Amino acid sequence: MTDLSRIQGPASAVTPTLEGRFYRPPLPDGYVLRPRLCEQLSAGLEGRLLLISAPAGFGKSSLAVEFCQSLPVHWQSLWLGLSSRDSDPGRFLERLLDGLQQYFPRLGAQALGLLKMRQRHQPFAFEEWLDGLLDELTVHLSPSAPLLLVLDDYHLAQGPVLDRCLQFFLNHLPDGLLVLVTSRQRPDWHLARLRLSRHLLELHEQDLRLTHEESLALLDRHSSSLRGEALDNLIRRSEGWVAGLRFWLLAVSEAGNEGDLPQGLHGGEGLIRDYLLEEVIDCLPPEVQGFLYDTAVQERFCSELCDAIREAHDSAEILRYLQSHQVFLVPLDEQGHWFRYHHLFSDLLRTRRSPNAMLSPASLHLRACRWFNAQGLLDEAVEQALRAGHLDVAANLVQNLSEEQLLAEQNVGMLLRWKMDLPDSLLISTPRLIVLYSWALGLACQLDAAEELSSHLSRFLPAPSATAQKSMLAQWLALSGIIARGRGNRELTQLYCREALESLPQKRYGQRLMCLSTLSNLAIVDADLWRARGLNRESLELAQRVGNPLFEALAHYDRARVLQARGETLRALDEVREGLQRLQGLAPQRLYAVRARLALHEGYLLVMRSQPEAGMLRLRAGVAEARACRDISVLIGHCVIANLEGRRGDFPKAFSELAEAERLMHIWDVPPIYYLAMITLVKCELWLAQGRTDLAEAWLTRLGQTYNGDQAAAAPEFHPQLPQHVELQQAALEAMRGQPEAARHRLETLARQSTENGRQMVAVMALTQQVPLLLDEGQAAVARAVFAQALQAACGGALQPFQRILDGYPDWTREQLNLAPNDLLKQSLCALLPPVAQRVSSETTHTCESLSGRELAVLQLIAQGFSNQEISNQLFISLHTVKTHASHINSKLGVERRTQAVARAQEMGLLG
């Protein structure tokens, strides 16, 4: 077992000259000021110790210099740069006293004599010497002129005797003196008392990492040479390491022209390699270096894994040594169990094998494979077998993955990544591999590939027994049902899934749940919400019987989607959160498609509750996890986010979200039937908001022909009510084209049909879309009746469909809500209304009351110079309606022309 208790920290041969021993270095050229960190340090000025500890190259000394320069004017500072020679406490104390005498010339004359008389080989009573010096120093210090003592690079001098000496010094520090220490390793001091009394402030590696903005500022003008993904990758791989980005800048300065710029960071090349070798690795003991090289092949590791691949028992001790000496070790959990190396440090270790290495990387990966498999971490065991080049071992391990685990996690990205490394001959070598990969391809929406691979099951028929044959055929039926649903084939989906449910053995609960989920989704498409509800109940009961939280969460997700279709937004939100609650006990670092889907649906529901900011956060989280799982539910997130950005008027961002969704679908080889209609529908809504009616009309017509009528295709899985939403957009288009009667007729029909078949959410949208049309045509009585119907249909909690009425007709809406029952919906809508405007005069009061909300909106746009056609496009009303509003405005304001109306409105304070 390696004894590391006697090993000193990394040392350096660099020793400052005698003349410069109290010299505070200047900030380096191009230094990015870090006021956020100086502010944190300033919070410790009332304490005793400021400790900055981080690995080499994180800017500890530069931060200390910046902090000294930012000190309040009444503060003084003394800079003491340390070297390995200062590990002798006598020399250190002599230098310290010399420095203090610059401020207090008469300090310690007798103490200095005692130091000079001592013999280095003889013991010296440092505590007694320091006690006398500190008593004398107390007399000289003044609270009105406190002194900051900076001990820079303490790790170069650190040793057991000096640690004890400084411990005594800190414990008896007089008022008016504060110590700032920078070090690559944490000093071996007992700091609990200082921490408890709040006299200690610490900054660690995580604090010193450059933020994204600081990294951009450091790269400065050169960042423009790298754009988009290349720039993001450069910053990501640097992990906030200042030295890494500075070495990139040095490489840039050596490049002859912009075309020769280095496109990234790699720790095994050039200046970074030399720096890490000289400053870090070569300063470590040989046994620690060997540990680094042996474990560098792992993406993550713990002490037990390191012991297994090294066949040793001292890994935990070496990991503690690496942590205490700040050797680019990144913790991956709060318990300090799992770690990885900094990306650039890992690059160097992997490209520079130890000359004394006894095992090849393949052998190390194979040992890791055995360990992961023994721990039940099958996915990581497969990864290690593939890296070791043992494809047969990997294939055998994949066969240990149960269909239930695959269908529960649905992290198909992992399986498809393995598929790239496994030859086709292995994939079709056993029925189990065929079934597993057919499901993976089906879940990834690669329908043709899934169907082709599953056809190879026929090679294994007849099966050895009737039971095995029935099970294999049932699995084929279930998989075929999923493929048929993806292709939009209602009849085949119903046929295959029902037959699979009759044939599947009870132990194949994963496939049963997938069939139930698929049939539930199809029932929403067919407006059979009661059947969908029954299928959901059956799914949840089955998932609870088998005790699988992932399947329970999936059942809650399906239930939430049915509740949302029925207009029960609040209940759907509760259902989503119950599903997320079932996942609380799972490992947070693992990725789950169902968690991504729940997060996405929660974001959508929050948007429907008119909480766009909270919704956006959940949508972004869901998109990130869905993308990592290669789950096409990422499409929902991008579409809802694009819709949100469009409502904010940021159309470039909105179309960028849709473009990213399309890009992913192309990369993942997803058939257009899954995503094209959803993305096109959102584009149509954005085009209508921009007034690009020709584009919207052309594509809405095509969508209507595809998804409405006698020969209509089944709506896509992730938008089962797409045909109804096409109708909503068709009505908006007709209203903009000056066809309000056609729009109202379409919306009335849609609202009636949706109410009859239980699609209350669509009914709410159709009803609220009618209200502005009726008010613009002067049909106030009918508008009141429709608004009351909308309130009744929205009792489940949807608020967002009312937003256009709230914004365009606030006074009218307030009047209607005052007449409505005082329930939660009314209270929520009232909270969303804009506050009642201050009336500046009796004349203004009379006019504001006489002008409707829509007329005020038109007046605002007239004042901004919009033409009638532009106002029509902006407010989604016909050109005829705009002219009618303008005529009413002129009449009510007593003017004849637009310019007079604007001037009159400004006089009366109507335009703010």
Side-chain angles (χ1 to χ4, degrees), residues 155-321:
H155 59 278
L156 298 177
Q158 186 172 358
V161 180
L162 186 60
D163 277 343
R164 289 198 302 272
C165 179
L166 266 294
Q167 179 79 70
F168 183 89
F169 184 71
L170 290 170
N171 288 344
H172 299 84
L173 206 64
D175 291 338
L177 182 62
L178 173 66
V179 179
L180 188 157
V181 175
T182 72
S183 179
R184 291 185 189 175
Q185 67 183 80
R186 198 170 180 278
D188 189 17
W189 299 332
H190 301 293
L191 301 175
R193 184 181 300 175
L194 288 178
R195 191 176 288 109
L196 185 64
S197 60
R198 299 188 177 180
H199 285 163
L200 167 65
L201 190 143
E202 294 181 86
L203 294 183
H204 303 291
E205 173 187 343
Q206 197 60 37
D207 302 298
L208 268 66
R209 290 179 187 269
L210 293 172
T211 64
H212 186 81
E213 292 73 21
E214 289 169 343
S215 297
L216 287 176
L218 178 59
L219 295 172
D220 193 21
R221 61 187 178 88
H222 298 294
S223 64
S224 62
S225 304
L226 292 177
R227 293 181 177 85
E229 190 173 344
L231 179 59
D232 290 341
N233 185 59
L234 178 71
I235 294 175
R236 179 184 59 81
R237 281 190 55 77
S238 73
E239 297 192 66
W241 187 38
V242 181
L245 292 180
R246 286 196 169 277
F247 285 131
W248 185 86
L249 289 172
L250 282 173
V252 168
S253 66
E254 294 174 359
N257 54 66
E258 189 168 299
D260 296 332
L261 287 178
Q263 296 297 299
L265 284 175
H266 195 282
E269 301 171 354
L271 296 170
I272 298 179
R273 174 185 179 278
D274 296 341
Y275 179 84
L276 290 174
L277 283 174
E278 294 171 7
E279 293 290 327
V280 183
I281 293 179
D282 289 348
C283 301
L284 294 168
E287 53 268 44
V288 176
Q289 292 186 37
F291 176 91
L292 293 175
Y293 288 119
D294 286 342
T295 56
V297 296
Q298 300 301 319
E299 295 292 337
R300 68 176 188 131
F301 49 84
C302 62
S303 60
E304 296 86 353
L305 172 60
C306 294
D307 279 344
I309 62 178
R310 298 172 58 241
E311 295 187 341
H313 302 285
D314 58 352
S315 298
E317 187 177 355
I318 295 179
L319 283 172
R320 284 193 293 270
Y321 176 85

Side-chain angles (χ1 to χ4, degrees), residues 360-369 381-394:
S360 66
S363 300
L364 294 171
H365 282 304
L366 199 55
R367 288 181 177 180
C369 171
V382 174
E383 293 279 0
Q384 295 295 327
L386 290 172
R387 292 182 186 180
H390 287 257
L391 303 184
D392 53 339
V393 173

Side-chain angles (χ1 to χ4, degrees), residues 135 508 650:
D135 285 343
R508 298 297 181 199
D650 196 337

Side-chain angles (χ1 to χ4, degrees), residues 517-532:
S517 178
T518 301
L519 290 173
S520 170
N521 181 268
L522 201 58
I524 300 175
V525 173
D526 294 335
D528 193 350
L529 298 185
W530 284 107
R531 172 166 169 72

Side-chain angles (χ1 to χ4, degrees), residues 609-907:
R609 289 288 297 162
S610 290
Q611 300 176 37
E613 300 305 324
M616 183 70 85
L617 289 175
R618 297 302 291 143
L619 287 165
R620 290 293 186 198
V623 164
E625 188 158 14
R627 184 167 181 158
C629 292
R630 202 191 180 285
D631 189 73
I632 66 163
S633 64
V634 71
L635 186 63
I636 298 173
H638 284 302
C639 285
V640 178
I641 292 170
N643 196 281
L644 271 176
E645 297 293 1
R647 288 178 194 159
R648 295 172 176 173
D650 196 337
F651 295 107
K653 273 190 179 179
F655 283 108
S656 176
E657 285 290 334
L658 296 179
E660 177 62 14
E662 286 191 85
R663 188 185 74 85
L664 279 178
M665 297 300 104
H666 284 300
I667 291 173
W668 292 351
D669 197 24
V670 176
I673 192 171
Y674 271 96
Y675 66 88
L676 192 57
M678 282 183 65
I679 291 177
T680 302
L681 183 61
V682 179
K683 285 182 179 179
C684 288
E685 188 169 353
L686 296 174
W687 287 329
L688 286 175
Q690 291 179 307
R692 301 165 69 182
T693 54
D694 291 342
L695 266 175
E697 182 179 23
W699 284 101
L700 284 172
T701 300
R702 294 181 63 177
L703 288 172
Q705 292 169 348
T706 304
Y707 292 100
N708 286 311
D710 296 335
Q711 303 298 320
E717 177 186 351
F718 285 110
H719 202 334
Q721 298 186 93
L722 183 138
Q724 291 71 42
H725 284 260
V726 171
E727 288 291 287
L728 291 169
Q729 294 306 313
Q730 285 277 21
L733 174 64
E734 289 166 343
M736 291 185 67
R737 286 286 175 87
Q739 303 168 12
E741 297 83 2
R744 281 194 292 105
H745 176 71
R746 188 184 296 271
L747 292 169
E748 287 169 1
T749 303
L750 182 60
R752 183 181 64 255
Q753 292 175 346
S754 299
T755 301
E756 289 172 356
N757 56 39
R759 288 189 176 122
Q760 289 297 94
M761 179 50 62
V762 174
V764 173
M765 293 177 176
L767 291 166
T768 54
Q769 202 167 317
Q770 288 180 61
V771 172
L773 295 174
L774 292 165
L775 289 174
D776 290 345
E777 293 180 349
Q779 300 187 47
V782 181
R784 285 194 292 272
V786 173
F787 185 78
Q789 292 178 46
L791 289 177
Q792 185 177 0
C795 62
L799 304 177
Q800 194 275 330
F802 291 89
Q803 198 63 53
R804 186 177 169 196
I805 305 173
L806 296 171
D807 293 339
Y809 308 87
D811 293 336
W812 182 88
T813 307
R814 189 175 283 108
E815 291 174 7
Q816 305 313 307
L817 289 174
N818 286 337
L819 301 174
N822 188 25
D823 55 14
L824 180 61
L825 178 64
K826 172 183 175 178
Q827 296 169 14
S828 300
L829 289 172
C830 287
L832 294 173
L833 279 167
V836 179
Q838 294 287 329
R839 311 304 188 190
V840 296
S841 67
S842 59
E843 183 180 22
T844 302
T845 302
H846 173 75
T847 305
C848 282
E849 290 173 346
S850 61
L851 287 181
S852 70
R854 178 60 77 184
E855 288 165 351
L856 284 170
V858 171
L859 181 59
Q860 291 279 355
L861 295 176
I862 289 173
Q864 295 174 40
F866 282 71
S867 67
N868 286 346
Q869 183 61 60
E870 290 171 331
I871 295 172
S872 169
N873 297 339
Q874 189 79 9
L875 298 179
F876 299 96
I877 57 179
S878 68
L879 186 60
H880 171 75
T881 303
V882 173
K883 293 177 180 178
T884 301
H885 283 319
S887 175
H888 290 167
I889 291 168
N890 289 346
S891 174
K892 291 177 180 179
L893 294 181
V895 297
E896 296 180 357
R897 293 188 298 275
R898 290 165 59 103
T899 53
Q900 293 174 332
V902 172
R904 179 70 171 150
Q906 288 174 337
E907 290 175 6

Side-chain angles (χ1 to χ4, degrees), residues 20 152 155 180 217 376 425 489 571 883:
D152 188 35
H155 59 278
L180 188 157
S425 58
N489 192 318
R571 285 187 61 194
K883 293 177 180 178

